Amino acid sequence: MYEVLLLQPHEAEGLPWRLVCLRIARDRHLVIWGFDHTAFDGMSAEIIRHRLESGAAIVAGAGESRHSNGREEPHPQKYSDYVDLLRQGPQDLTENELIRFFALRKWTKLSRELMDRLTESGGGAGRFEFIVPLAATGGTNALAASIRLAVRMLSEYTGMADIPLAIVSYGRSYRGRDFFNCVGEFLDLVPLVMKRGRSPGETLSLLEKCREHGINFMSLLLDSELARKYGRLASLLAPFYQVADEPKPLVLFNFQGAVSEEELKAFAAAEATDAPDNALARFAVTARVEGSNLAIIMESVDGIREERMREIADRLLSGDETVDE
């Protein structure tokens, strides 16, 4: 039932979710709700689950709708407010400044070169996983450390000093407005050129710039009015972002945060059934915290020379070197 509801692709003409309630004991039921990203994101699923649990507690007379810390549940914000905010476009930045701050002309040039080099270096397995003790990151922010490590590995693997990434951003905060208790689709892909010696702080500062100025690259591409207003930016990113029916020609970086054992089992089931033809990007890097470790998973439709990547990864952790140096 999990496989049917969670792992099968959604049809374009159907609902973007599947829901079933199973009776698994006389007085016990299991609700399985599988959804597509066109419906809402993963954080939204947690919000919905919390509300369902709070509602069940009220029905059972076991409590009120409150947070686990005892505070009253805040009133949910409107997703339409978030959409209206994005439709206003970036604030206090011109299109030229946007292109310059994010080095988009360089990003497009490097992305083409990187795709060529990854194809030339391809072959072997389509997946490579590397486990890093969090202690080896020198106490650095796990997101920044995982980006830094992935960039160093790709740099050595391809021979390129600068690596272009499309970083998945869970953008729920824009221009001082937070939407952390709102259900909807909030994902963005932020194009960043990562230099091998770039500090983690520089990476996070560019992501902060998106929040501060209301920059959402997907809305600049997919909203027709914004795409016309930011036509030069859209023309630079569209060949990489708006590719249909095949993996996008870019390196997608997704930091999933800390995950539970239950989530790891779900990931394993999904990864075991995913075909390379259904990949979102030509090359994808997923990072997540698993207990006291940082897991880096690389997947490529062109294949990965596992021995070469393993040699690079092991060298980064050899001796007293930390992945943050």
Side-chain angles (χ1 to χ4, degrees), residues 180-255:
F180 291 106
N181 67 342
C182 186
V183 174
E185 180 53 77
F186 291 85
L187 296 184
D188 190 23
L189 297 182
V190 181
L192 293 179
V193 175
M194 303 303 305
K195 297 181 179 179
R196 181 167 173 169
R198 190 174 217 160
S199 70
E202 289 182 76
T203 302
L204 300 182
S205 69
L206 283 171
L207 296 179
E208 180 60 35
K209 188 177 288 291
C210 293
R211 292 187 284 269
E212 179 183 347
H213 296 280
I215 304 167
N216 183 287
F217 288 93
M218 296 305 294
S219 69
L220 295 178
L221 286 167
L222 301 178
D223 183 282
S224 57
E225 291 187 14
L226 288 175
R228 284 194 296 270
K229 183 177 180 180
Y230 294 87
R232 281 174 295 157
L233 182 149
S235 66
L236 287 169
L237 293 182
F240 304 91
Y241 277 48
Q242 292 182 276
V243 177
D245 301 326
E246 61 183 74
K248 301 181 190 304
L250 47 73
V251 174
L252 186 73
F253 182 92
N254 183 17
F255 181 74

